[in-house]
């Protein structure tokens, strides 16, 4: 489909790698990238360092606007897709514009996951997934001297480090559900607690938040089944949830993310999914698996693009104990390197 | 509407009866109009007049709103809590460009909660006719049938095998979703019509069906589905494995079952969700609902899924149970992972096992909630031969003369509102067969009305969700504490504002229209059309509009009531005053004694 139109929904590593791969292999193809955020493609794993001032904002961004112009990649930022008609090959944007496509790559990424029992406190907690989130943290951290981290995903530990370098007091609430995306064990819990405490982090072993009340702009009262305390800010770090709600009832198969086969096919012709919105069956895990991390996302984006162009490449699903964090490949004991 | 009744609604009488300026039509074309243009009412198995009762709530007339509900669905306070809400799936406000469906169910509950006076309950306009009918089962179908038969002069006796009326409402739905005083109040209102209730009597064991048939003029079997289906998997007889319905019945009877901390629920319906949430209230800490298919294919409401998750239940999709594992007591379930296959006729995907994906999920208790079926009931035809009843869900008759059936016994497991509708249909059939004439009829009422005070900005009000006990940890103790706390007057008014009031019918008088197209300019969506041709069916109902962009081919400007959101903008802008509005309602009417042949 060299002279046809390919639309890529998403503007993260999988989406950008897919676009670059398509352009390299199909010089005449019309390629459109639709990103919901207004900012360009950035390295999300650097956000903790940006919050604490270790890196400048410019360093977050991967490509300047000229990069897209030179490659004739149409970049639409700040536009959300609200519906896709996979049978008619039509995409509806939130401002009612309808786009047609011949090929489609769904690389819509994910958003911070708040466990349902904690949704009642969602407005009282900050997350760290986007540049905008990072700016909010920077601003709010000027007003407080302490922060609570709940959860234990890939970002949480590097962010705890970032807070410590800023001289903030850090409390870390750990429990067996903390280490998304893997299940925590007693051994992991004890190792992680020890390392955190050695750095001066106040570890709270608790599996239930009974209440959070905001007493002032910079003061929250937190009640857990272990103990009660006051804190300046609260961050939720429970990992990510594929950003696929808008695809409900469209016919595409959804579990947590978009179910695809090993070639990243969705079941609709010329429609592929890549990055951390895609779920592939993982024979070793005996489960559907979302590959996370920057490098995995780029690999999947490239595979989806090549297959869209007629290739038959299998997704390189990460081994179950391999993740990537902070740009380096680590195994699931990443907390030991904290 | 048919062309004839459209005229009738303005000035002349056509096929319908006219009473106090209202046309009552039985024209099939008008029934077709209602089925397409008032989708909420059409989706309700009992045909509840949704726009009318929502409007009454907006006006603060809660008792009247309750009465409109009660007229057809009999148990509004109960349904306002636990209805499966097929109406909301069809609500026009839920169209992809219009936001979210109106919270119809909870508005219904608000009418029940907020009414200050008792609504008028329909009393019989019939004299006692001397005919006696027995009903087996005091669940939703049996109670609805008893209500309708009592109001038209029958002497009704209900035989209930358990010690309280309500059926599945009483025994199958947890108290945290449906407080027992609500069941008591609404069942009492039915029994107060003169219905006799005999509890603790199991027909077929304590008394024979044959004997009952000899004592009564007719009987109705509404015994529901109380037999839990199993998995047919090894290990189902291990200690710690509970059939879903039995589990709920035990807990609802006040028994505290030992279930441990880790509970697996196998099943995808309301019973499975009720079991999972009940398990949390019994002290379980890790509760998973394991389903064969995808979460978005679940048969329960989105609210139910959300609330279960909020309370801590995990839903694990694409799992096929193989074996329940354990020595003498359950230790877990062996599952095989599945992938979605092709679509089945019911719109869900087939589940295909992935070879080699077997794994064991540990558990202290397993609850199997994969469906229920009815217990067979036999009528003793001779001394030696029992005849199965073979109920017919369309006619509500059975293989035995003078014996009818209704509800889940007839159809298999369904919903409370479907059972009520089934019970009412059966009652209508019994009454007509015993009396020789119909006692009720459905009519389309058409009356001129004014444009409402609805404002366009009300269309942008976000859906008002039901307030609940928060944080979720507060819900579990005491375990029977009702989770949903109900709308107050302000919330009820706010949510009722969102209803488009689809029972209003907007129409352009083409003889007076000057084709200025102002109405098209102000229309909020593509609801006013330039048409070349109007397609009708054999009854004269409008089924399609052939639009044209060629001005010379335009034969009419037509309001497509299927797309119309009743904003009234067209009516207000029209310089020729050629747009009229009428209120079109599908109503259930009792035919009073003596009027049957009128």
């Amino acid at each position: 489909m060299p002279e046809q139109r390919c639309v890529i929904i998403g503007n993260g590593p999988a989406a950008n790698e897919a676009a670059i791969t398509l352009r390299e292999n199909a010089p005449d193809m019309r390629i459109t990238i639709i990103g919901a955020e207004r900012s360009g493609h950035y390295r999300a794993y650097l956000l903790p360092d940006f919050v604490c001032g270790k890196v400048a904002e410019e360093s977050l961004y991967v490509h300047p606007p000229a990069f897209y112009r030179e490659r004739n990649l149409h970049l639409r930022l700040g536009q959300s897709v609200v519906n896709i008609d996979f049978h008619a090959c039509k995409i509806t944007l939130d401002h009612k514009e309808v786009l047609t496509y011949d090929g489609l790559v769904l690389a819509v990424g994910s958003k911070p996951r708040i466990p349902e029992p904690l949704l009642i406190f969602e407005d009282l907690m900050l997350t760290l997934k986007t540049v905008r989130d990072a700016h909010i943290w920077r601003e709010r951290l000027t007003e407080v001297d302490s922060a609570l981290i709940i959860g234990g995903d890939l970002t949480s530990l590097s962010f705890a480090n970032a807070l410590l370098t800023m001289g903030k007091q850090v409390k870390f609430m750990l429990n067996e559900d903390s280490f998304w995306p893997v299940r925590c064990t007693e051994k992991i819990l004890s190792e992680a607690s020890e390392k955190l405490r050695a750095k001066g982090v106040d570890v709270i072993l608790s599996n239930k938040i009974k209440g959070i009340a905001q007493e002032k702009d910079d003061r929250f009262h937190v009640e857990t089944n272990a103990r009660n305390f006051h804190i300046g800010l609260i961050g939720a770090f429970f990992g990510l949830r594929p950003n696929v709600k808008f695809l409900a009832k469209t016919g595409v198969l959804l579990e947590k993310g978009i179910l695809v086969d090993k070639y990243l096919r969705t079941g609709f012709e010329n429609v592929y999914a890549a990055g951390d919105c895609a779920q592939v069956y993982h024979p070793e895990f005996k489960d559907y698996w979302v590959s996370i991390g920057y490098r995995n996302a780029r690999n999947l984006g490239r595979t989806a693009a090549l297959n869209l162009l007629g290739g038959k490449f299998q997704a390189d699903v990460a081994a179950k104990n391999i993740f990537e964090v902070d740009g380096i490949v680590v195994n699931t004991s990443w907390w030991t390197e904290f | 509407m048919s062309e004839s009744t459209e005229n009738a609604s303005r000035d002349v009488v056509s096929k319908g009866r006219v009473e106090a300026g209202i046309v009552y039509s039985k024209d099939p074309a008008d029934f077709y109009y209602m089925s397409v243009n008032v989708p909420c009412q059409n989706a309700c198995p009992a045909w509840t007049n949704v726009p009318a009762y929502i409007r009454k709530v907006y006006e603060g007339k809660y008792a009247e709103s309750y009465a409109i509900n009660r007229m057809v669905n009999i148990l509004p306070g109960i349904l306002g809590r636990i209805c499966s809400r097929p109406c909301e799936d069809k609500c026009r406000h839920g169209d992809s460009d219009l936001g979210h469906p109106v919270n119809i169910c909870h508005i219904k509950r608000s009418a029940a909660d907020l009414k200050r006076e008792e609504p008028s309950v329909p009393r019989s306009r019939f004299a006692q006719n001397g005919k006696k009918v027995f009903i087996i089962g005091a669940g939703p179908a049996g109670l609805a049938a008893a209500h309708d038969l009592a109001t038209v002069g029958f002497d009704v006796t209900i035989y209930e095998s358990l010690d309280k009326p309500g059926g599945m409402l009483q025994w199958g739905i947890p108290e945290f979703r449906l407080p027992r005083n609500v069941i008591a109040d609404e069942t009492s209102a039915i029994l107060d019509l003169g219905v006799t209730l005999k509890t603790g009597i199991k027909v077929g064991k304590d008394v024979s069906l044959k004997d009952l048939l000899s004592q009564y003029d007719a009987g109705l079997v509404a015994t529901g589905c109380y037999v839990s289906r199993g998995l047919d998997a090894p290990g189902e007889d291990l200690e710690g494995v509970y059939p879903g319905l039995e589990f709920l019945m035990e807990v609802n009877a006040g028994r505290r079952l030992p279930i441990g901390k880790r509970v697996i629920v196998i099943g995808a319906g309301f019973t499975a969700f009720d079991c999972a949430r009940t398990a949390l209230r019994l002290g379980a800490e890790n509760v998973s609902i394991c389903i064969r298919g995808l979460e978005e294919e679940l048969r329960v409401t989105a609210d139910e899924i959300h609330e279960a998750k909020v309370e801590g239940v995990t839903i694990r999709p694409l799992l096929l149970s193989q074996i329940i594992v354990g020595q003498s007591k359950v230790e877990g379930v062996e599952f095989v992972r599945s992938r979605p296959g092709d679509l089945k006729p019911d719109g869900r995907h087939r589940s295909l096992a992935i070879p080699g994906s077997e794994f064991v999920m540990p558990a202290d208790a397993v609850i199997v909630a994969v469906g229920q079926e009815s217990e067979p009931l036999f009528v003793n035809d001779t001394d030696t031969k029992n005849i199965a009843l073979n109920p017919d869900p369309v006619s509500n008759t059975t293989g035995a003369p003078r014996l009818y059936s209704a509800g889940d016994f007839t159809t298999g497991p369904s919903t409370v509102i479907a059972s009520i509708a089934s019970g009412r249909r059966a009652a209508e059939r019994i009454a007509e067969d015993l009396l020789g004439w119909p006692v009720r009829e459905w009519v389309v009422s058409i009356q001129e009305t004014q444009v409402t005070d609805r404002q366009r900005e009300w269309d942008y009000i976000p859906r008002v969700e039901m307030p609940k006990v928060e944080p979720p940890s507060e819900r579990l103790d005491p375990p029977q504490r009702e989770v949903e706390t109900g709308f107050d007057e302000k919330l009820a008014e706010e949510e009722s504002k969102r209803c488009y009031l689809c029972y209003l019918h907007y129409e352009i008088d083409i003889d007076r229209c000057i084709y200025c197209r102002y109405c098209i300019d102000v229309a909020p969506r593509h609801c006013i059309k330039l048409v070349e041709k109007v397609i009708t069916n054999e009854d004269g109902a409008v089924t399609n509009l052939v639009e044209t962009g060629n001005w010379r081919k335009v034969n009419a400007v037509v309001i497509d009531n299927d797309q119309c959101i009743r904003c009234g903008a067209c009516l207000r802008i029209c310089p020729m005053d050629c747009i009229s509005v009428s209120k079109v309602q599908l109503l259930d009417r009792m035919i009073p004694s003596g009027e049957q042949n009128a």
Side-chain angles (χ1 to χ4, degrees), chain A residues 45-88:
Chain A
Y45 59 84
L46 288 180
L47 291 175
D49 286 344
F50 169 60
V51 171
C52 71
K54 222 192 261 183
V55 301
E57 184 166 358
E58 307 84 78
S59 308
L60 296 176
Y61 296 102
V62 182
H63 304 303
F67 176 88
Y68 299 94
R69 280 198 301 274
E70 287 160 10
R71 286 161 182 76
N72 194 23
L73 300 171
H74 299 273
L75 189 58
R76 290 167 164 248
L77 297 181
Q79 298 188 358
S80 297
V81 175
V82 292
N83 193 32
I84 302 177
D85 182 340
F86 289 103
H87 298 287

Side-chain angles (χ1 to χ4, degrees), chain B residues 350-486:
Chain B
R350 226 172 280 286
S351 296
L352 306 173
I354 299 176
S357 65
E358 296 82 1
F359 69 100
V360 173
M361 192 184 294
D364 302 315
V366 174
I367 302 170
V368 180
V370 292
Q372 291 109 237
E373 54 197 40
S374 58
E375 191 178 344
L377 191 63
F378 299 96
V379 58
N380 190 234
D381 187 42
T382 68
D383 288 342
T384 56
K385 192 179 171 192
N386 283 330
I387 311 276
L389 289 179
N390 296 326
D392 178 353
V394 178
S395 67
N396 292 100
T397 56
T398 69
R402 297 185 291 111
L403 189 61
Y404 301 79
S405 73
D408 288 1
F409 176 80
T410 308
T411 59
S414 63
T415 60
V416 174
I417 187 67
S419 293
I420 289 170
S422 172
R424 298 199 69 215
R425 276 197 309 274
E428 198 176 330
R429 175 71 190 249
I430 292 168
E432 189 169 344
D433 284 356
L434 292 186
L435 298 176
W437 58 74
V439 291
R440 291 180 180 278
E441 64 177 0
W442 284 93
V443 292
V444 177
S445 89
I446 304 158
Q447 67 183 116
E448 276 195 68
T449 187
Q450 300 296 310
V451 65
T452 65
D453 52 2
R454 274 202 91 242
Q455 294 163 31
R456 179 73 176 117
E457 56 262 36
W458 294 0
D459 297 341
Y460 301 98
I461 297 173
R463 178 178 156 112
V464 179
E465 298 296 349
M466 170 59 73
K468 300 173 184 85
V469 174
E470 304 289 4
S473 54
E474 297 290 310
R475 300 176 182 177
L476 307 183
D477 191 19
Q480 66 274 19
R481 182 175 184 178
E482 187 175 18
V483 169
E484 296 178 338
T485 53

